[in-house]
Amino acid sequence: MNTRPNLVQLLARQAGRAGLLLLAAGVVVILLRPTDAAWWAARVLGLAALLTMAAALALRPTPDRPRRHNLLGWAALAALLGHIGVVAGLQPVFWRWLTWAVPVEIVTGFLAVAAFAAALAAQRPGRLRDRLGPILGHRVHRFAGYVLAAAAAAHIALVAGISVVAVVVILAGLAFLVVEGIFRERHGVALAATLALLTTAVAALSIAPLAGPRLEALRRSPVDHANFLHSDHPGLACAGCHHNFTDQTGNENCLTCHKRISTIEAMRIDRMFHAFCGECHRADKHAGKEFGPIDDCNGCHAKQAEGEKDARRAAQ
Ligand code: HEC
Ligand code: HEC
Ligand code: HEC
Ligand code: HEC
């Protein structure tokens, strides 16, 4: 029997490593982007989870290194739990996302968590493992690994405030990882079909008819003025923010009008305003000037005592 790895296997292995390198490069690009001091823990833990799980996928257990894969898997779990703990625990506004209007980028985050749970349950001794048996259990473990990497990469590529370069590099890294999986898995076609199906399901959340109920929920939620005060923004041209003053779209409040007009997912009020407010603050921080909150939810959404907020508004 021919024991030498054939060309396809060799290419597949290199594709996995190339994917890992690209993901690492994407992570470096993100780390170079300014953010708030309070957001660094969430960012670093999330990126560490992506890299360790992608490394576990690309570096499978071999007879001479049986434990490396397991260690990477446990490290990824620790980083993922830390990331969720920091965001959901320290940023209360996070829970407001859990409505029918949950943004697609958060859906991909939950998909990653579900895939992690499936990968773990299929591999650890237990009821699911017993029912599936070792061979099928192992296959579920590997498939869940690919779904996990894809969902995590999509989550990071979609969250507000990430540069185009980082998005392209991360998605290219993911593509290499998936290509290696399709070549390497005996059921490569089934893997490709699974990933395609999930991608379609997530994309469907952004278009009719599934987007309808989600947008309705978003419109019904009360306007959150997000601590915006003109007195924090002196000396800026009105029309720089108030495009409605120049394009004659009307003269009402930005948020109420935007809630009403937003008819497609791309115009979701939070994603659009997060980019509008946060990217100016990020550019100012980058330029070494005074800046406002960038990614730290509490910077804009902190629940101030209502009296204090009213007093700040009245003082303008
Ligand atoms: C940095 C962006 C920015 C700049 C610059 C800016 N605004 Fe605003 N303005 C906003 C935002 C955001 C709101 C909505 C705030 C809210 O609802 O909490 C707003 C609200 C208003 C409102 C209240 C609208 C309503 O009905 O609620 C008026 C009036 C207004 N701005 C006038 C001005 C004028 C005049 C200038 C120039 C001197 C100016 N703004 C400069 C961002 C800006
Ligand atoms: C009377 C309605 C109305 C008001 C008031 C209004 N906008 Fe808009 N805004 C629009 C419409 C309509 C568009 C174009 C939507 C599109 O391109 O699909 C738009 C587009 C934008 C965009 C570009 C979105 C993108 O990603 O292409 C930004 C940013 C924006 N508005 C910010 C603001 C801010 C900040 C205010 C208040 C200071 C404001 N808008 C007030 C209706 C309004
Ligand atoms: C055109 C640039 C620009 C835009 C757009 C902008 N900001 Fe700011 N923001 C600034 C600057 C500059 C400061 C710092 C002002 C200072 O401290 O002197 C600031 C400060 C702040 C602060 C105060 C932080 C503190 O330390 O008290 C808050 C809150 C804030 N911005 C919220 C928002 C929100 C919410 C939006 C979107 C509706 C927004 N900003 C849009 C430039 C911008
Ligand atoms: C730079 C300021 C800023 C930061 C930082 C920020 N937001 Fe926002 N956010 C806004 C503005 C402005 C809006 C639009 C106001 C609205 O929707 O009523 C908004 C809207 C939202 C909404 C939709 C509110 C609704 O029900 O319509 C949610 C949910 C939200 N943000 C969550 C978050 C989370 C979670 C974080 C941290 C990961 C965060 N925001 C960080 C400014 C900010």
Side-chain angles (χ1 to χ4, degrees):
M1 218 169 91
N2 184 4
T3 50
R4 275 187 318 162
N6 66 33
L7 192 63
V8 171
Q9 280 169 338
L10 211 68
L11 275 180
R13 197 164 316 143
Q14 298 315 323
R17 306 213 161 166
L20 196 54
L21 277 179
L22 279 168
L23 286 182
V27 164
V28 170
V29 176
I30 295 174
L31 289 174
L32 291 174
R33 307 219 346 130
T35 189
D36 301 300
W39 192 251
W40 272 103
R43 180 191 256 190
V44 167
L45 286 166
L47 294 174
L50 174 71
L51 275 191
T52 42
M53 67 181 79
L57 204 57
L59 310 173
R60 298 189 186 188
T62 51
D64 53 323
R65 321 272 313 247
R67 283 170 53 77
R68 181 177 61 182
H69 174 83
N70 293 16
L71 285 176
L72 284 167
W74 290 118
L77 182 63
L80 182 64
L81 291 177
H83 175 69
I84 297 170
V86 166
V87 178
L90 303 183
Q91 310 270 355
V93 66
F94 169 84
W95 297 100
R96 295 241 313 266
W97 263 332
L98 305 188
T99 64
W100 281 109
V102 58
V104 171
E105 59 268 34
I106 305 305
V107 173
T108 54
F110 288 133
L111 185 60
V113 174
F116 210 125
L120 208 59
Q123 193 65 13
R124 305 292 304 159
R127 192 126 41 93
L128 183 68
R129 180 76 204 261
D130 292 347
R131 186 163 310 167
L132 293 174
I135 295 176
L136 191 56
H138 215 78
R139 192 184 306 154
V140 171
H141 178 73
R142 294 195 311 267
F143 269 40
Y146 285 105
V147 173
L148 169 57
H155 172 67
I156 291 179
L158 284 172
V159 285
I162 286 189
S163 71
V164 180
V165 182
V167 170
V168 170
V169 175
I170 286 201
L171 292 183
L174 173 66
F176 273 100
L177 275 187
V178 168
V179 163
E180 98 126 330
I182 288 170
F183 275 122
R184 197 173 189 176
E185 287 293 323
R186 189 178 306 185
H187 301 272
V189 178
L191 175 63
T194 310
L195 290 171
L197 200 74
L198 284 169
T199 310
T200 313
V202 168
L205 285 175
S206 313
I207 48 178
L210 286 183
R214 304 179 55 236
L215 286 168
E216 275 318 309
L218 188 67
R219 287 179 188 180
R220 274 196 310 271
S221 68
V223 169
D224 174 343
H225 292 280
N227 288 347
F228 180 87
L229 292 177
H230 284 96
S231 52
D232 285 331
H233 298 85
L236 295 172
C238 317
C241 298
H242 286 273
H243 67 84
N244 52 313
F245 290 179
T246 46
D247 64 15
Q248 316 286 321
T249 39
N251 59 357
E252 63 182 296
N253 185 285
C254 337
L255 304 171
T256 47
C257 176
H258 270 265
K259 273 202 175 190
R260 200 179 59 243
I261 56 158
S262 94
T263 47
I264 53 163
E265 171 64 18
M267 275 301 291
R268 268 190 62 88
I269 192 161
D270 56 353
R271 186 185 300 172
M272 201 281 279
F273 274 91
H274 287 156
F276 170 73
C277 314
E279 290 311 312
C280 177
H281 296 162
R282 199 191 308 276
D284 280 343
K285 177 162 190 191
H286 197 64
K289 298 196 249 173
E290 294 284 349
F291 61 97
I294 304 170
D295 297 312
D296 176 35
C297 327
N298 292 339
C300 293
H301 291 284
K303 190 90 188 122
Q304 303 181 7
E306 279 309 316
E308 186 193 330
K309 202 166 177 174
D310 290 344
R312 284 187 85 199
R313 284 184 172 279
Q316 284 198 58

